[in-house]
Amino acid sequence: MTRLSQFTLRNFLIVTHDALATAFALLASFYLRFEGGLLTERLPLLLSILPWFVLFSVIVCYLFNLTTAKWRFTSLPDALNILRVSAVLTLTLVVLDYTFIFIAPASHFHVLFGRVTIVLFFFLEGFALSALRLGYRYFRYSRTRHHARTDNAAPALLVGRTADAEVVLRGIENGAIKRLWPVGVLSPSAADRGQMIRSIPVVGGVDDIEAVIRDFEARERPIKRVVMTPSAFEPDAHPDSVLMRAKRLGVMVSRLPSLESGDAPRLTNVAVEDLLLRPSEKIDYARLETLVKGKSVIVTGGGGSIGAEICDRAATFGAARLLVIENSEPALYAVTEALSVRDTGAEIEGRIADIRDRERITRLMKEFKPDIVFHAAALKHVPILERDWSEGVKTNIFGSVNVADAALAAGASAMVMISTDKAIEPVSMLGLTKRFAEMYCQALDHDLMAQASGKPHMRLISVRFGNVLASNGSVVPKFKAQIEAGGPITVTHPDMVRYFMTIREACDLVITAATHAMTPARPDVSVYVLNMGQPVKIVDLAERMIRLSGLQPGVDIEIVFSGMRPGERLNEILFASEEPTIEIGVAGIMAAKPNQPPMSMLRTWLSTLDGAVVSNDRAIIMNVLRNAVPEFGSVE
């Protein structure tokens, strides 16, 4: 649909205004420059040119987006467009003047406009086009400030650099952020101190928060809210200290998330994900939309924390159809209801199914005919799988085989399996079963690539995650519950470290990996890992969560060490020694070349595993898995 077909009454009113503004500027410049006989001689010719010049000005205004720009948000880019329009129309008058010399050489006056008239027109045109726009902008700005001050708006401190603070202030001025009125800014940058940002003073540094809050309270202007902008979460800004001090003083703390895809500014609660020691990876969202838009997508395990977020991302990026496969009825209901409320335009369907049921999974996929399959269904809790090892084999190995084979039979273009960093040189049943599933997908991908001989074919890839903050079963919900109970927080070992990522990052990695895998010029890789920076000590995460609650570690909440559990190790690794890494040119993403046995050997092992699972013979299962994954450490 073109911009012209979307014109509203407001756009036509703007066209009328700009046409009248141009006519006024041209006539006024004439009347200011000429008088008496000089004006009388030129006026008939001017009036004959005026309608065509005004029509031309309307076209120029449209081309420079003045006709479609909302006056409520008039800003510097609009002012520059007004200058461009004025310059183009002024140059047009110059051309008309020189044209008049050639077409009317016998005229008793040499030029129609003259240099003084043209210069006057440039300034008058700029004034005429901008005066009402700026006046309306100021009116809306003043009204918003008035409402913010009178509608029980909470006096607030903004924490972060002035560039971030300006985003919040603009959000308040245009009505996107309500019931909030900043009275000061605390900036981590010394260069910002003593400055003003949109009439709001920078009242100190981040470390001055307690003194500033008490000062406002002494002046009977108590601070009700602290808003942390993205720059307030940089390590140098000491976000833990800000949170602890603000909550100790009884002040509500909110944050302004980084904006994505032009979203309007919005305030959210501060979460533990905000306290990662590294900034979140920047994702190319246009690339993700290109992969998913208009496609049919299946997500297994769609009711889990990772699966549900993948469903949300697929719908957000424009999937035409989405099938959620989940074996938990409450989880399936929750995710499909949440997706339907969002009204993204995707056709949402949910089915109860267990990935162990090969016939049902195959039938569902053949009926749905997916373009892309995201396989997130799995058993993932290390201590549980150490005890119920056979269930891990059934779900993580045979379930993944069922999904991969069904996706191939249904004609999918790609299948992405969610794996784990615990699959590398595994020491647990979780890691071992996930590594076996990776090898099956790698072997199937290798065989399909060999058969295709360079032609398009289905891709099967694995994406390895570190620990996902706030996902189901992660340490975050556990620590939150222990803090709410008054402690203590239990940590297995003081030197335990893990890589961490947010749920959003994890799911964006899944889709980003699929975009790379389906690129024709891709290298031969089938395992992708997010660059998660430096690992985080679990005890440090526990201390951050205690401070996030406004308490002090070791004083209000104790931390005790319970000892390592079966299948755990102190440090996780991302690539095995036999997996050479590859630079793929995608920011924040690493990859490795495939390293797997031939499919014939994997099928032999699968046949033996199937019989051993039926007879519940742990010895045979462990022998097969050790042969398949020789780097496997003992879990006995």
Short mmCIF file of all heavy atoms in Angstrom, two decimals, residues 283-284 287-288 291-292 310 317 372-374 413-419 445 459-465 501 505-520 522-523 525-530 584 586-592:
data_model
loop_
_atom_site.label_atom_id
_atom_site.label_comp_id
_atom_site.label_asym_id
_atom_site.label_seq_id
_atom_site.Cartn_x
_atom_site.Cartn_y
_atom_site.Cartn_z
N ILE A 283 21.27 -8.28 18.31
CA ILE A 283 20.73 -9.23 17.35
C ILE A 283 20.20 -8.48 16.12
O ILE A 283 19.58 -7.42 16.25
CB ILE A 283 19.58 -10.06 17.98
CG1 ILE A 283 20.08 -10.78 19.25
CG2 ILE A 283 19.04 -11.08 16.98
CD1 ILE A 283 21.12 -11.83 19.02
N ASP A 284 20.44 -9.03 14.95
CA ASP A 284 19.93 -8.45 13.70
C ASP A 284 18.49 -8.93 13.51
O ASP A 284 18.24 -10.00 12.96
CB ASP A 284 20.81 -8.91 12.53
CG ASP A 284 20.39 -8.27 11.21
OD1 ASP A 284 19.35 -7.58 11.20
OD2 ASP A 284 21.08 -8.45 10.21
N ARG A 287 17.10 -9.70 10.03
CA ARG A 287 17.51 -11.01 9.53
C ARG A 287 16.58 -12.11 10.05
O ARG A 287 16.20 -13.02 9.31
CB ARG A 287 18.95 -11.27 9.98
CG ARG A 287 19.50 -12.61 9.57
CD ARG A 287 20.97 -12.69 9.96
NE ARG A 287 21.55 -13.96 9.55
CZ ARG A 287 22.85 -14.17 9.42
NH1 ARG A 287 23.68 -13.18 9.65
NH2 ARG A 287 23.31 -15.33 9.06
N LEU A 288 16.20 -12.01 11.31
CA LEU A 288 15.30 -13.01 11.88
C LEU A 288 13.93 -12.95 11.22
O LEU A 288 13.30 -13.98 10.96
CB LEU A 288 15.18 -12.81 13.39
CG LEU A 288 16.48 -12.77 14.21
CD1 LEU A 288 16.18 -12.89 15.69
CD2 LEU A 288 17.44 -13.85 13.78
N LEU A 291 13.78 -14.73 7.91
CA LEU A 291 13.70 -16.19 8.00
C LEU A 291 12.28 -16.66 8.30
O LEU A 291 11.80 -17.62 7.69
CB LEU A 291 14.64 -16.69 9.10
CG LEU A 291 14.52 -18.19 9.40
CD1 LEU A 291 15.18 -19.00 8.30
CD2 LEU A 291 15.11 -18.54 10.76
N VAL A 292 11.60 -15.99 9.24
CA VAL A 292 10.35 -16.52 9.79
C VAL A 292 9.12 -16.01 9.07
O VAL A 292 8.11 -16.72 8.98
CB VAL A 292 10.28 -16.18 11.30
CG1 VAL A 292 8.94 -16.59 11.88
CG2 VAL A 292 11.41 -16.85 12.05
N ILE A 310 10.32 -18.98 22.18
CA ILE A 310 10.51 -19.19 20.75
C ILE A 310 9.19 -19.00 20.01
O ILE A 310 9.15 -18.39 18.94
CB ILE A 310 11.08 -20.60 20.48
CG1 ILE A 310 12.50 -20.71 21.03
CG2 ILE A 310 11.09 -20.91 18.99
CD1 ILE A 310 13.10 -22.09 20.91
N PHE A 317 7.93 -12.18 14.65
CA PHE A 317 8.64 -11.97 13.40
C PHE A 317 7.82 -12.36 12.18
O PHE A 317 8.34 -12.43 11.07
CB PHE A 317 9.97 -12.73 13.41
CG PHE A 317 10.96 -12.19 14.41
CD1 PHE A 317 11.60 -13.04 15.30
CD2 PHE A 317 11.22 -10.84 14.49
CE1 PHE A 317 12.51 -12.55 16.23
CE2 PHE A 317 12.12 -10.34 15.41
CZ PHE A 317 12.76 -11.19 16.29
N ILE A 372 9.90 -24.75 9.18
CA ILE A 372 10.96 -24.79 10.19
C ILE A 372 10.44 -25.48 11.45
O ILE A 372 9.30 -25.23 11.87
CB ILE A 372 11.44 -23.37 10.56
CG1 ILE A 372 11.84 -22.60 9.31
CG2 ILE A 372 12.61 -23.42 11.54
CD1 ILE A 372 12.11 -21.12 9.57
N VAL A 373 11.25 -26.34 12.04
CA VAL A 373 10.92 -27.01 13.30
C VAL A 373 11.95 -26.61 14.35
O VAL A 373 13.16 -26.77 14.14
CB VAL A 373 10.91 -28.55 13.14
CG1 VAL A 373 10.66 -29.21 14.50
CG2 VAL A 373 9.85 -28.98 12.13
N PHE A 374 11.47 -26.07 15.47
CA PHE A 374 12.33 -25.78 16.62
C PHE A 374 12.05 -26.84 17.68
O PHE A 374 10.93 -26.94 18.19
CB PHE A 374 12.04 -24.38 17.17
CG PHE A 374 12.38 -23.28 16.21
CD1 PHE A 374 11.39 -22.60 15.52
CD2 PHE A 374 13.70 -22.93 15.99
CE1 PHE A 374 11.70 -21.59 14.63
CE2 PHE A 374 14.02 -21.91 15.10
CZ PHE A 374 13.03 -21.25 14.42
N SER A 413 12.30 -27.35 5.87
CA SER A 413 13.56 -26.80 5.36
C SER A 413 14.66 -26.85 6.40
O SER A 413 15.84 -26.89 6.05
CB SER A 413 13.35 -25.35 4.92
OG SER A 413 12.40 -25.25 3.90
N ALA A 414 14.28 -26.82 7.68
CA ALA A 414 15.30 -26.82 8.73
C ALA A 414 14.70 -27.33 10.03
O ALA A 414 13.51 -27.14 10.30
CB ALA A 414 15.88 -25.42 8.94
N MET A 415 15.55 -27.98 10.81
CA MET A 415 15.20 -28.32 12.19
C MET A 415 16.32 -27.83 13.08
O MET A 415 17.50 -28.05 12.81
CB MET A 415 15.06 -29.83 12.38
CG MET A 415 14.89 -30.22 13.85
SD MET A 415 15.00 -31.98 14.12
CE MET A 415 15.62 -32.02 15.80
N VAL A 416 15.96 -27.12 14.14
CA VAL A 416 16.92 -26.60 15.10
C VAL A 416 16.68 -27.27 16.44
O VAL A 416 15.59 -27.16 17.01
CB VAL A 416 16.79 -25.07 15.25
CG1 VAL A 416 17.89 -24.53 16.16
CG2 VAL A 416 16.84 -24.38 13.90
N MET A 417 17.68 -27.99 16.93
CA MET A 417 17.55 -28.68 18.22
C MET A 417 18.22 -27.87 19.32
O MET A 417 19.35 -27.42 19.17
CB MET A 417 18.20 -30.06 18.17
CG MET A 417 17.93 -30.88 19.42
SD MET A 417 18.87 -32.41 19.52
CE MET A 417 20.42 -31.83 20.16
N ILE A 418 17.50 -27.68 20.41
CA ILE A 418 18.06 -26.99 21.56
C ILE A 418 18.94 -27.96 22.33
O ILE A 418 18.47 -28.99 22.81
CB ILE A 418 16.95 -26.46 22.48
CG1 ILE A 418 15.92 -25.66 21.69
CG2 ILE A 418 17.55 -25.62 23.60
CD1 ILE A 418 16.47 -24.53 20.91
N SER A 419 20.22 -27.64 22.43
CA SER A 419 21.14 -28.49 23.18
C SER A 419 21.67 -27.72 24.39
O SER A 419 21.08 -26.71 24.80
CB SER A 419 22.28 -28.96 22.26
OG SER A 419 23.06 -29.93 22.91
N ASP A 445 22.22 -34.62 8.90
CA ASP A 445 22.53 -33.42 8.11
C ASP A 445 23.64 -33.73 7.11
O ASP A 445 23.58 -33.31 5.95
CB ASP A 445 22.95 -32.29 9.05
CG ASP A 445 23.20 -30.98 8.32
OD1 ASP A 445 22.23 -30.41 7.78
OD2 ASP A 445 24.36 -30.54 8.28
N ARG A 459 18.22 -28.70 6.53
CA ARG A 459 19.33 -28.55 7.45
C ARG A 459 18.92 -28.97 8.84
O ARG A 459 17.81 -28.68 9.29
CB ARG A 459 19.79 -27.08 7.51
CG ARG A 459 20.51 -26.54 6.29
CD ARG A 459 21.76 -27.31 5.89
NE ARG A 459 22.59 -27.76 7.00
CZ ARG A 459 23.60 -27.07 7.56
NH1 ARG A 459 23.87 -25.87 7.12
NH2 ARG A 459 24.31 -27.59 8.54
N LEU A 460 19.81 -29.64 9.55
CA LEU A 460 19.61 -30.01 10.94
C LEU A 460 20.78 -29.46 11.74
O LEU A 460 21.93 -29.80 11.47
CB LEU A 460 19.53 -31.53 11.13
CG LEU A 460 18.31 -32.20 10.49
CD1 LEU A 460 18.69 -32.78 9.14
CD2 LEU A 460 17.75 -33.28 11.40
N ILE A 461 20.49 -28.59 12.69
CA ILE A 461 21.54 -27.96 13.48
C ILE A 461 21.20 -28.05 14.96
O ILE A 461 20.04 -28.28 15.34
CB ILE A 461 21.75 -26.48 13.09
CG1 ILE A 461 20.50 -25.66 13.39
CG2 ILE A 461 22.15 -26.35 11.64
CD1 ILE A 461 20.69 -24.17 13.18
N SER A 462 22.23 -27.88 15.78
CA SER A 462 22.06 -27.87 17.24
C SER A 462 22.56 -26.53 17.78
O SER A 462 23.56 -26.00 17.30
CB SER A 462 22.85 -29.01 17.88
OG SER A 462 22.44 -30.26 17.38
N VAL A 463 21.85 -26.02 18.76
CA VAL A 463 22.23 -24.76 19.40
C VAL A 463 22.47 -25.03 20.88
O VAL A 463 21.58 -25.50 21.57
CB VAL A 463 21.12 -23.70 19.24
CG1 VAL A 463 21.56 -22.39 19.88
CG2 VAL A 463 20.80 -23.49 17.78
N ARG A 464 23.67 -24.75 21.33
CA ARG A 464 24.03 -25.02 22.72
C ARG A 464 23.83 -23.78 23.58
O ARG A 464 24.31 -22.71 23.26
CB ARG A 464 25.49 -25.47 22.81
CG ARG A 464 25.74 -26.85 22.23
CD ARG A 464 27.22 -27.18 22.25
NE ARG A 464 27.47 -28.44 21.57
CZ ARG A 464 28.64 -28.78 21.06
NH1 ARG A 464 29.67 -27.94 21.15
NH2 ARG A 464 28.80 -29.95 20.45
N PHE A 465 23.12 -23.98 24.68
CA PHE A 465 22.88 -22.91 25.64
C PHE A 465 23.76 -23.11 26.86
O PHE A 465 24.07 -24.23 27.24
CB PHE A 465 21.44 -22.94 26.14
CG PHE A 465 20.42 -22.56 25.11
CD1 PHE A 465 19.10 -22.86 25.32
CD2 PHE A 465 20.78 -21.91 23.94
CE1 PHE A 465 18.15 -22.51 24.38
CE2 PHE A 465 19.84 -21.57 23.01
CZ PHE A 465 18.52 -21.87 23.22
N MET A 501 22.80 -16.63 30.18
CA MET A 501 22.16 -15.86 29.12
C MET A 501 20.71 -15.67 29.51
O MET A 501 20.16 -16.39 30.35
CB MET A 501 22.27 -16.60 27.78
CG MET A 501 21.64 -17.96 27.79
SD MET A 501 22.17 -19.01 26.41
CE MET A 501 21.78 -18.00 25.03
N GLU A 505 17.73 -13.76 24.82
CA GLU A 505 18.95 -14.02 24.07
C GLU A 505 18.98 -15.45 23.54
O GLU A 505 19.37 -15.71 22.40
CB GLU A 505 20.18 -13.81 24.95
CG GLU A 505 20.61 -12.38 25.13
CD GLU A 505 21.86 -12.29 25.98
OE1 GLU A 505 21.88 -12.85 27.08
OE2 GLU A 505 22.83 -11.67 25.52
N ALA A 506 18.60 -16.39 24.39
CA ALA A 506 18.63 -17.80 24.00
C ALA A 506 17.76 -18.04 22.77
O ALA A 506 18.17 -18.72 21.82
CB ALA A 506 18.14 -18.67 25.17
N CYS A 507 16.58 -17.46 22.77
CA CYS A 507 15.66 -17.71 21.66
C CYS A 507 16.07 -16.95 20.40
O CYS A 507 15.89 -17.46 19.29
CB CYS A 507 14.25 -17.34 22.09
SG CYS A 507 13.69 -18.39 23.46
N ASP A 508 16.63 -15.77 20.56
CA ASP A 508 17.14 -15.07 19.39
C ASP A 508 18.32 -15.83 18.78
O ASP A 508 18.51 -15.83 17.56
CB ASP A 508 17.56 -13.65 19.76
CG ASP A 508 16.36 -12.73 19.98
OD1 ASP A 508 15.26 -13.09 19.52
OD2 ASP A 508 16.52 -11.68 20.59
N LEU A 509 19.12 -16.47 19.63
CA LEU A 509 20.22 -17.30 19.12
C LEU A 509 19.69 -18.45 18.28
O LEU A 509 20.24 -18.78 17.23
CB LEU A 509 21.05 -17.84 20.28
CG LEU A 509 22.04 -18.96 19.92
CD1 LEU A 509 23.09 -18.46 18.94
CD2 LEU A 509 22.70 -19.52 21.17
N VAL A 510 18.62 -19.08 18.75
CA VAL A 510 18.04 -20.20 18.01
C VAL A 510 17.69 -19.77 16.58
O VAL A 510 18.05 -20.42 15.60
CB VAL A 510 16.77 -20.72 18.73
CG1 VAL A 510 16.06 -21.75 17.87
CG2 VAL A 510 17.13 -21.33 20.07
N ILE A 511 17.00 -18.65 16.47
CA ILE A 511 16.55 -18.20 15.14
C ILE A 511 17.73 -17.69 14.32
O ILE A 511 17.81 -17.92 13.11
CB ILE A 511 15.46 -17.12 15.29
CG1 ILE A 511 14.32 -17.64 16.18
CG2 ILE A 511 14.90 -16.74 13.92
CD1 ILE A 511 13.23 -16.63 16.47
N THR A 512 18.68 -17.00 14.98
CA THR A 512 19.85 -16.52 14.26
C THR A 512 20.65 -17.69 13.70
O THR A 512 21.14 -17.63 12.56
CB THR A 512 20.75 -15.68 15.20
OG1 THR A 512 20.00 -14.56 15.67
CG2 THR A 512 21.99 -15.19 14.47
N ALA A 513 20.81 -18.76 14.48
CA ALA A 513 21.53 -19.94 14.00
C ALA A 513 20.83 -20.52 12.78
O ALA A 513 21.49 -20.94 11.81
CB ALA A 513 21.61 -20.98 15.11
N ALA A 514 19.51 -20.55 12.79
CA ALA A 514 18.77 -21.08 11.64
C ALA A 514 18.99 -20.22 10.40
O ALA A 514 19.13 -20.74 9.29
CB ALA A 514 17.29 -21.17 11.97
N THR A 515 19.06 -18.90 10.58
CA THR A 515 19.28 -18.03 9.41
C THR A 515 20.64 -18.30 8.78
O THR A 515 20.78 -18.30 7.56
CB THR A 515 19.19 -16.54 9.79
OG1 THR A 515 20.26 -16.20 10.67
CG2 THR A 515 17.87 -16.21 10.44
N HIS A 516 21.63 -18.54 9.62
CA HIS A 516 22.97 -18.82 9.08
C HIS A 516 23.02 -20.19 8.43
O HIS A 516 23.60 -20.36 7.35
CB HIS A 516 24.02 -18.74 10.19
CG HIS A 516 25.41 -18.98 9.69
ND1 HIS A 516 26.00 -20.23 9.74
CD2 HIS A 516 26.31 -18.15 9.10
CE1 HIS A 516 27.21 -20.15 9.22
NE2 HIS A 516 27.43 -18.90 8.83
N ALA A 517 22.40 -21.17 9.07
CA ALA A 517 22.44 -22.53 8.53
C ALA A 517 21.77 -22.63 7.16
O ALA A 517 22.15 -23.45 6.33
CB ALA A 517 21.78 -23.50 9.50
N MET A 518 20.78 -21.78 6.92
CA MET A 518 20.04 -21.84 5.66
C MET A 518 20.59 -20.89 4.61
O MET A 518 20.01 -20.72 3.54
CB MET A 518 18.56 -21.55 5.93
CG MET A 518 17.91 -22.60 6.83
SD MET A 518 16.18 -22.26 7.21
CE MET A 518 15.43 -22.57 5.62
N THR A 519 21.75 -20.27 4.89
CA THR A 519 22.41 -19.43 3.90
C THR A 519 23.16 -20.31 2.91
O THR A 519 23.94 -21.17 3.33
CB THR A 519 23.40 -18.47 4.58
OG1 THR A 519 22.68 -17.67 5.52
CG2 THR A 519 24.06 -17.57 3.55
N PRO A 520 22.97 -20.15 1.61
CA PRO A 520 23.62 -21.04 0.63
C PRO A 520 25.13 -21.08 0.76
O PRO A 520 25.75 -22.12 0.57
CB PRO A 520 23.18 -20.45 -0.72
CG PRO A 520 21.91 -19.73 -0.43
CD PRO A 520 22.05 -19.19 0.96
N ARG A 522 26.98 -20.84 3.39
CA ARG A 522 27.43 -21.13 4.75
C ARG A 522 28.59 -22.13 4.74
O ARG A 522 28.70 -22.97 3.85
CB ARG A 522 26.28 -21.75 5.55
CG ARG A 522 25.97 -23.15 5.05
CD ARG A 522 24.71 -23.75 5.61
NE ARG A 522 24.56 -25.09 5.10
CZ ARG A 522 24.08 -25.38 3.90
NH1 ARG A 522 23.69 -24.42 3.10
NH2 ARG A 522 23.99 -26.64 3.50
N PRO A 523 29.47 -22.10 5.76
CA PRO A 523 30.46 -23.16 5.91
C PRO A 523 29.80 -24.42 6.47
O PRO A 523 28.64 -24.41 6.86
CB PRO A 523 31.45 -22.56 6.92
CG PRO A 523 30.65 -21.55 7.69
CD PRO A 523 29.64 -21.01 6.72
N VAL A 525 28.96 -26.24 9.09
CA VAL A 525 28.83 -26.24 10.54
C VAL A 525 27.42 -26.68 10.91
O VAL A 525 26.48 -26.50 10.14
CB VAL A 525 29.10 -24.85 11.16
CG1 VAL A 525 30.54 -24.43 10.92
CG2 VAL A 525 28.15 -23.82 10.60
N SER A 526 27.30 -27.30 12.08
CA SER A 526 25.97 -27.71 12.53
C SER A 526 25.79 -27.52 14.02
O SER A 526 24.77 -27.94 14.57
CB SER A 526 25.73 -29.18 12.17
OG SER A 526 26.72 -30.00 12.74
N VAL A 527 26.77 -26.90 14.71
CA VAL A 527 26.63 -26.61 16.14
C VAL A 527 26.93 -25.13 16.34
O VAL A 527 27.98 -24.63 15.91
CB VAL A 527 27.61 -27.45 16.99
CG1 VAL A 527 27.53 -27.02 18.45
CG2 VAL A 527 27.27 -28.94 16.86
N TYR A 528 26.01 -24.42 16.98
CA TYR A 528 26.14 -22.98 17.21
C TYR A 528 26.07 -22.69 18.71
O TYR A 528 25.33 -23.35 19.45
CB TYR A 528 25.02 -22.21 16.51
CG TYR A 528 25.06 -22.32 15.00
CD1 TYR A 528 24.53 -23.43 14.34
CD2 TYR A 528 25.64 -21.31 14.23
CE1 TYR A 528 24.56 -23.53 12.96
CE2 TYR A 528 25.67 -21.41 12.85
CZ TYR A 528 25.14 -22.51 12.22
OH TYR A 528 25.18 -22.60 10.85
N VAL A 529 26.84 -21.69 19.15
CA VAL A 529 26.88 -21.32 20.56
C VAL A 529 26.92 -19.81 20.67
O VAL A 529 27.64 -19.14 19.91
CB VAL A 529 28.13 -21.91 21.27
CG1 VAL A 529 28.14 -21.54 22.75
CG2 VAL A 529 28.18 -23.42 21.11
N LEU A 530 26.14 -19.25 21.61
CA LEU A 530 26.19 -17.81 21.86
C LEU A 530 27.48 -17.46 22.58
O LEU A 530 27.91 -18.17 23.49
CB LEU A 530 25.00 -17.38 22.72
CG LEU A 530 25.00 -15.92 23.16
CD1 LEU A 530 24.79 -15.01 21.97
CD2 LEU A 530 23.92 -15.67 24.20
N ILE A 584 32.03 -17.38 11.74
CA ILE A 584 30.96 -17.38 10.74
C ILE A 584 30.53 -15.97 10.36
O ILE A 584 29.63 -15.80 9.52
CB ILE A 584 29.74 -18.19 11.23
CG1 ILE A 584 29.15 -17.56 12.49
CG2 ILE A 584 30.13 -19.64 11.46
CD1 ILE A 584 27.85 -18.20 12.94
N VAL A 586 28.93 -13.74 12.15
CA VAL A 586 27.70 -13.28 12.80
C VAL A 586 28.05 -12.85 14.21
O VAL A 586 28.57 -13.66 15.00
CB VAL A 586 26.62 -14.39 12.84
CG1 VAL A 586 25.36 -13.88 13.53
CG2 VAL A 586 26.31 -14.87 11.43
N ALA A 587 27.80 -11.59 14.54
CA ALA A 587 28.19 -11.05 15.84
C ALA A 587 27.55 -11.84 16.97
O ALA A 587 26.35 -12.10 16.97
CB ALA A 587 27.78 -9.58 15.95
N GLY A 588 28.40 -12.22 17.95
CA GLY A 588 27.89 -12.90 19.14
C GLY A 588 27.69 -14.38 18.98
O GLY A 588 27.23 -15.03 19.91
N ILE A 589 28.00 -14.94 17.81
CA ILE A 589 27.75 -16.35 17.56
C ILE A 589 29.06 -17.06 17.21
O ILE A 589 29.85 -16.57 16.43
CB ILE A 589 26.76 -16.56 16.40
CG1 ILE A 589 25.46 -15.80 16.67
CG2 ILE A 589 26.48 -18.03 16.16
CD1 ILE A 589 24.62 -16.37 17.76
N MET A 590 29.27 -18.23 17.83
CA MET A 590 30.38 -19.10 17.47
C MET A 590 29.82 -20.39 16.89
O MET A 590 28.67 -20.74 17.14
CB MET A 590 31.24 -19.40 18.69
CG MET A 590 31.87 -18.17 19.34
SD MET A 590 32.86 -18.58 20.81
CE MET A 590 31.57 -19.04 21.97
N ALA A 591 30.64 -21.12 16.14
CA ALA A 591 30.20 -22.37 15.54
C ALA A 591 31.34 -23.37 15.51
O ALA A 591 32.51 -23.01 15.71
CB ALA A 591 29.65 -22.13 14.14
N ALA A 592 31.00 -24.64 15.29
CA ALA A 592 32.01 -25.69 15.22
C ALA A 592 31.68 -26.64 14.08
O ALA A 592 30.51 -26.82 13.71
CB ALA A 592 32.06 -26.47 16.54
#
